[in-house]
Amino acid sequence: MSSRLLQNFKGGRAIVVTRRGGWESALETTLAKLGVSTEYPEIIDGRAQIDVASLQADRDILFIDGDLEGAVAIEVNPASRLPPAPVIGLVGVEAPSRLKALVNLGATSFLRKPVHGGAVYTSLFMGINQFLLRAEMSERLQDLEERRRGRRAVIRAVILLMRQEGLDEEGAYSQLRRESMRARQNMELYCEEKPPDTSSRTTGITLQGGNKQAI
């Protein structure tokens, strides 16, 4: 299943972290033509004054000048390795350490300084869509992991009922399904929250297919 790529950036807000020197006018002009407003946060003691908590991934784009060491401090999501909003690195000096710093901030695209208007749309397109694709992939992986945990919980609950109630596998599964419907929960979540049995000793149950599970 292919994801829909964003091509229209009207209504976006570019937060450009740089020391203004005139070169940024080409960037600002081109962004305005694309319907994207531009803001320049104040830099105090070498740190850009950005309200990170207010960033919106569906609106904001951070343009970060790689020549300003340590100007931006944002935390990337530990699972997706993505920042709170798309980051496009502004590259002047192509030193590995500066490129690495931009990558560590979650940059998904780069734009050479001085900026040429014809390169802005491509950089914006790549930066935003790579951000969206990675975010979607991370959500899918998280969903798969949750389902995997849920399946394990269902197996444990089925085995528990087979032992406690003397049911076969199909009967235990059907009972759990009815209980989860009464509780208005999906079956995986219901089984995860179902308290474990501690009333009897360890035993073995053989499921269909011949696999033996121990409780």
Side-chain angles (χ1 to χ4, degrees), residues 16-30:
V16 183
V17 180
T18 188
R19 293 194 185 281
R20 303 184 71 174
W23 63 265
E24 71 281 356
S25 61
L27 173 61
E28 185 173 347
T29 300
T30 307

Side-chain angles (χ1 to χ4, degrees), residues 65-209:
D65 192 337
D67 294 335
L68 299 180
E69 185 176 355
V72 177
I74 53 177
E75 293 186 4
V76 297
N77 184 294
S80 65
R81 299 296 299 165
L82 287 172
V87 170
I88 296 176
L90 297 170
V91 180
V93 178
E94 293 184 343
S97 60
R98 296 185 181 183
L99 294 174
K100 180 181 178 181
L102 289 171
V103 169
N104 287 338
L105 287 171
T108 47
S109 183
F110 298 91
L111 191 59
R112 282 279 298 163
K113 296 190 308 179
V115 173
H116 296 283
V120 173
Y121 180 82
T122 298
S123 180
L124 198 62
F125 181 91
M126 291 297 296
I128 291 177
N129 283 299
Q130 278 296 313
F131 176 90
L132 295 174
L133 289 170
R134 292 185 188 182
E136 181 181 350
M137 183 177 295
S138 177
E139 289 175 1
R140 288 182 180 180
L141 290 173
Q142 185 176 354
D143 182 61
L144 287 173
E145 176 60 24
E146 290 176 355
R147 290 186 181 184
R148 185 182 67 84
R149 290 197 304 266
R151 285 195 296 268
R152 290 168 57 187
V154 170
I155 291 173
R156 286 195 300 268
V158 166
I159 294 171
L160 184 63
L161 270 182
M162 290 171 69
R163 186 181 68 182
Q164 290 180 329
E165 307 293 339
L167 300 171
D168 60 15
E169 182 181 346
E170 184 176 349
Y173 185 88
S174 295
Q175 181 172 323
L176 286 171
R177 184 172 56 188
R178 290 192 299 270
E179 291 177 0
S180 67
M181 290 176 66
R182 283 198 298 268
R184 296 186 178 181
Q185 292 179 307
N186 66 58
M187 192 164 175
E188 289 81 5
L189 180 60
Y190 177 78
C191 291
E192 284 182 359
E193 296 180 352
K194 187 177 177 67
D197 174 58
T198 58
S199 61
S200 56
R201 62 181 179 81
T202 300
T203 186
I205 295 291
T206 302
L207 297 176
Q208 291 176 6

Side-chain angles (χ1 to χ4, degrees), residues 50-56 84:
I50 300 173
D51 183 5
V52 177
S54 70
L55 293 176
Q56 298 179 26

